[in-house]
Amino acid sequence: MNQDLELQDVFQSVIEKSMRLLKHFEHQPDQLPPLVEQWLDLSSNFLAAASVLFNNPLLVQKMQLSWWQDAMGLLQDQLIGTLMPVSDKRFSADEWVNNPFFNMLSQQYVLAKEHTNSLLEHLDYGDKQLAKRVQFFMRQYQDAVSPDNFIHTNPQLIAETLQSHGKNLLTGLDNFLTDIEVDSSRLVIAMTDKNAFTVGKNVAVTPGKVIYKNSLMELIQYTPQTNKVKSVPLLIIPPWINKYYILDLSSNNSLVRWLVEQGITVFIISWANPDEGFANKGIADYLIDGPMAAIKAIQEQLMIKQVNTLGFCIGGTLLSMLLAYNKARQITSIRSATFLASMIDFSDPGDISVFIDEKQILKLEKHMEEKGYLEGHCMASAFNSLRASDLIWTFFIRNYLHGKPPVPFDILFWNMDSTNMPAKMHSEYLRWMYLNNDLVKPGKIHINNTPLDISHIDIPTYFVSTKKDHIAPWKTTYAGFQLMQGNKRFLLGGSGHIAGIIIPPGGPKYGYYCNIDSPENPEDWLANATYHTGSWWPEWLSWLKKESGRLINAPVFSKLPMKSIMDAPGSYVFNRDPSLRA
């Protein structure tokens, strides 16, 4: 009886949400053309690839023959009862391995995928960008048609649907309508339970004060947790694509909290979430009103001459520009610099380059002109697509086919808390860095009439990258590391762009590689590196402390020149993307 009432409630919810969406789209007849235009643009790439295939009949025939032989051999093995686990974690469950039909289905899918990718990789397209786009979007297609994405080809879904009499699908439809109703113009797949986290209560909770703010950022100074601290503080420059609190998540995985507990005085920039009023803010504004202004405030607050710095992702790119600017101006306010998963040389930025060429940037610039900024969800969607199997289809299956509610996960909550990009800044960033790789060209970029030359940076630097990073590939970050002239260290962690960085001491970890030498080839560096278990944080901290001066009494807010504007996490962090608003 209770189950019938529960199903009735879900069914009623589905009806109400469906009616609201229908009414919305009745008044939004222009929603479809942009999607059609995007599809036609992508179709032109595959038409070009088809032309390449027609011009290589022998290669295609060879691949087809090879695939046919392997497929027949695999089928013969399965017909005689040989069941094998699939080399794909999506099909690792017992239902995929022990059932002959589904084992064959998954094995044949993986085999066809491998042969198709091999063919596309060996074709001569005559255009490297076209080759990357075709191979990337073919992988997207392959992820989309994976057998585990469909009810009738997923044994786990079939069993659950039969057992629950279809309740999982009805609940999944309700979840789908909830997610699409958030924006009503696009599907926002819920990756985590948004209601499980509140900024300032269970994420971004390290005690501190906002001591300075301008239109672009708030500067947070964290409350000391030790009686003695190192005399040289640390300024953290986070990326402005998301909120700063990726480095101050829950109390058990906050890099900020851990550093403060180790006797480091920490400051962090909390970036504003731009609207149309920021349209003409460029990279120079982010540099001047960001870390430059922050360092001046810290110098006044603590009456010191130098700070250590840390840049994460594009925060590290901005930091490298500041170091080059300071060198050209003979400014010595920065004692050392740490780069976390940061690209300086953009010669090979990975799969994200499929979204970046002159044609696409022009289209994006036209879009940004209308609002003055790029919506945060656009960047989030692009980055999620780089790992579609993990960051899109996993949640699609769980939320809409299994009908499960999203689970609480602080990193995914942060991942959904995206920020907008000012039109001028984002255009400059895409063109200067990704399209033209201007930052590594001496004197190509000017800030305040000052030419930047990265190769002149000679202060101590420490680079941390991760082995499976799909946003800042480690071999590309190593190329930026090679440009540094001073004492430098490179460390390679495990996992990806976020999970390999937010990895506090204690518990099972991915481990990391260290090598004090810096050969030109990154593969040579890795071949001679030493592997260590556990978190890389303590290894880096031992280096940072050597650059952090002597021990002094911890600063007391009431005795400092700049008084508190408000408690951390400040106000800018609450200016949120519409997809997260209640």
Side-chain angles (χ1 to χ4, degrees):
M1 187 67 176
N2 289 336
Q3 186 176 9
D4 292 340
L5 290 174
E6 187 178 347
L7 282 171
Q8 185 177 346
D9 289 341
V10 175
F11 191 68
Q12 183 65 32
S13 175
V14 166
I15 293 173
E16 291 174 356
K17 292 172 184 176
S18 299
M19 293 302 296
R20 285 197 297 267
L21 283 171
L22 284 173
K23 288 182 179 179
H24 171 81
F25 284 113
E26 283 177 2
H27 300 92
Q28 299 290 335
D30 58 340
Q31 295 287 351
L32 188 58
L35 297 176
V36 174
E37 181 184 356
Q38 205 172 41
W39 168 249
L40 291 174
D41 182 55
L42 183 58
S43 297
S44 66
N45 293 129
F46 280 98
L47 285 173
S51 176
V52 175
L53 285 171
F54 289 139
N55 291 328
N56 292 270
L58 293 179
L59 184 60
V60 174
Q61 185 180 25
K62 181 179 178 181
M63 186 281 291
Q64 288 178 322
L65 180 61
S66 176
W67 167 77
W68 179 257
Q69 290 172 336
D70 288 347
M72 288 299 100
L74 183 60
L75 180 60
Q76 285 179 346
D77 289 340
Q78 291 169 324
L79 288 175
I80 63 174
T82 304
L83 300 179
M84 299 170 290
V86 187
S87 58
D88 188 317
K89 65 181 181 181
R90 290 174 290 184
F91 311 113
S92 60
D94 290 342
E95 293 88 342
W96 289 100
V97 177
N98 298 329
N99 184 294
F101 172 78
F102 291 110
N103 183 266
M104 178 188 69
L105 184 66
S106 57
Q107 292 278 10
Q108 293 288 353
Y109 164 77
V110 171
L111 182 67
K113 177 181 174 182
E114 291 173 350
H115 277 276
T116 302
N117 290 342
S118 177
L119 171 65
L120 295 179
E121 287 170 4
H122 287 87
L123 288 174
D124 183 7
Y125 299 83
D127 182 339
K128 289 183 178 180
Q129 184 66 8
L130 174 62
K132 280 187 175 182
R133 281 177 63 80
V134 168
Q135 292 170 33
F136 174 79
F137 286 110
M138 176 54 73
R139 292 194 296 272
Q140 298 292 301
Y141 171 76
Q142 291 166 340
D143 286 337
V145 300
S146 174
D148 65 325
N149 294 342
F150 303 93
I151 300 169
H152 58 286
T153 53
N154 185 323
Q156 296 166 298
L157 283 171
I158 292 174
E160 184 174 357
T161 302
L162 292 174
Q163 185 177 4
S164 69
H165 303 288
K167 179 185 174 183
N168 59 309
L169 300 181
L170 185 61
T171 306
L173 177 58
D174 189 53
N175 292 341
F176 173 82
L177 292 171
T178 298
D179 287 349
I180 201 170
E181 203 178 21
V182 167
D183 191 295
S184 295
S185 63
R186 61 189 178 93
L187 176 62
V188 182
I189 301 178
M191 295 182 174
T192 184
D193 180 1
K194 298 190 289 284
N195 298 319
F197 299 99
T198 302
V199 174
K201 290 187 177 180
N202 55 358
V203 291
V205 294
T206 303
K209 307 286 185 182
V210 175
I211 64 161
Y212 172 86
K213 70 183 297 183
N214 56 36
S215 63
L216 267 178
M217 66 93 175
E218 292 175 333
L219 180 64
I220 299 172
Q221 177 181 357
Y222 289 97
T223 306
Q225 299 297 313
T226 56
N227 293 327
K228 297 284 186 178
V229 298
K230 286 289 190 175
S231 59
V232 182
L234 175 68
L235 169 64
I236 298 178
I237 309 167
W240 53 84
I241 293 177
N242 291 81
K243 303 299 175 61
Y244 82 89
Y245 62 86
I246 184 58
L247 298 171
D248 185 28
L249 285 169
S250 307
S251 58
N252 65 325
N253 62 351
S254 167
L255 176 62
V256 168
R257 177 182 288 271
W258 184 79
L259 285 169
V260 172
E261 291 172 348
Q262 310 307 311
I264 302 295
T265 299
V266 178
F267 294 79
I268 198 168
I269 289 173
S270 175
W271 297 103
N273 193 353
D275 56 21
E276 61 276 2
F278 288 71
N280 293 318
K281 295 285 187 181
I283 288 180
D285 296 295
Y286 271 74
L287 190 62
I288 294 166
D289 291 335
M292 284 187 185
I295 289 173
K296 289 180 181 177
I298 295 170
Q299 289 173 325
E300 179 182 341
Q301 178 76 326
L302 299 182
M303 293 173 285
I304 57 172
K305 293 182 178 180
Q306 288 189 312
V307 303
N308 290 316
T309 52
L310 179 153
F312 183 18
C313 189
I314 59 175
T317 307
L318 191 70
L319 174 57
S320 71
M321 298 177 71
L322 176 57
L323 298 180
Y325 179 89
N326 281 1
K327 184 63 180 180
R329 290 288 188 99
Q330 297 183 333
I331 298 171
T332 59
S333 60
I334 297 178
R335 182 162 176 167
S336 75
T338 297
F339 297 89
L340 303 184
S342 302
M343 285 193 294
I344 297 171
D345 184 321
F346 285 73
S347 56
D348 185 9
D351 284 340
I352 194 67
S353 63
V354 303
F355 298 108
I356 302 168
D357 56 32
E358 183 64 30
K359 182 180 178 181
Q360 293 184 87
I361 291 178
L362 285 172
K363 186 182 294 185
L364 192 62
E365 288 171 337
K366 182 179 179 181
H367 172 79
M368 290 191 294
E369 283 177 8
E370 298 174 3
K371 291 189 174 182
Y373 61 90
L374 178 68
E375 304 93 322
H377 68 78
C378 294
M379 290 292 291
S381 297
F383 285 127
N384 288 344
S385 72
L386 302 183
R387 289 176 54 205
S389 179
D390 293 330
L391 296 178
I392 297 177
W393 294 110
T394 294
F395 298 101
F396 177 90
I397 296 169
R398 176 183 172 82
N399 296 6
Y400 307 145
L401 300 183
H402 285 293
K404 302 293 185 183
V407 297
F409 190 17
D410 53 6
I411 289 179
L412 290 177
F413 175 80
W414 166 86
N415 186 59
M416 296 181 69
D417 197 359
S418 57
T419 58
N420 302 324
M421 305 288 110
K424 180 181 179 182
M425 184 284 300
H426 198 55
S427 176
E428 289 176 343
Y429 187 72
L430 292 177
R431 290 185 176 279
W432 292 0
M433 310 304 171
Y434 283 98
L435 189 62
N436 299 319
N437 199 18
D438 285 338
L439 190 54
V440 300
K441 301 172 184 176
K444 183 67 175 179
I445 296 176
H446 289 68
I447 301 293
N448 275 354
N449 299 315
T450 302
L452 306 186
D453 189 344
I454 297 295
S455 66
H456 286 175
I457 298 171
D458 57 3
I459 67 169
T461 55
Y462 200 110
F463 282 68
V464 178
S465 296
T466 58
K467 205 170 185 180
K468 297 181 180 179
D469 197 329
H470 62 290
I471 294 175
W474 82 268
K475 293 178 184 178
T476 306
T477 65
Y478 190 86
F481 163 76
Q482 285 289 69
L483 296 171
M484 301 294 142
Q485 298 303 310
N487 293 325
K488 56 187 180 181
R489 294 279 301 277
F490 190 90
L491 180 149
L492 183 63
S495 194
H497 190 71
I498 300 299
I501 297 296
I502 309 306
I503 186 166
K509 302 300 173 186
Y510 302 109
Y512 60 93
Y513 297 86
C514 284
N515 184 352
I516 61 173
D517 296 325
S518 53
E520 182 177 350
N521 191 316
E523 293 289 0
D524 293 337
W525 180 92
L526 182 58
N528 293 289
T530 303
Y531 177 78
H532 302 267
T533 58
S535 169
W536 59 265
W537 289 9
E539 178 78 22
W540 165 67
L541 181 65
S542 65
W543 174 89
L544 179 66
K545 283 189 171 181
K546 294 175 183 177
E547 302 295 337
S548 298
R550 69 187 193 283
L551 284 173
I552 60 172
N553 291 328
V556 179
F557 277 114
S558 61
K559 297 180 180 179
L560 296 176
M562 303 178 72
K563 303 306 178 184
S564 168
I565 298 174
M566 65 186 73
D567 288 338
S571 62
Y572 285 170
V573 73
F574 293 104
N575 189 358
R576 311 181 79 184
D577 184 87
S579 67
L580 277 178
R581 293 175 187 165

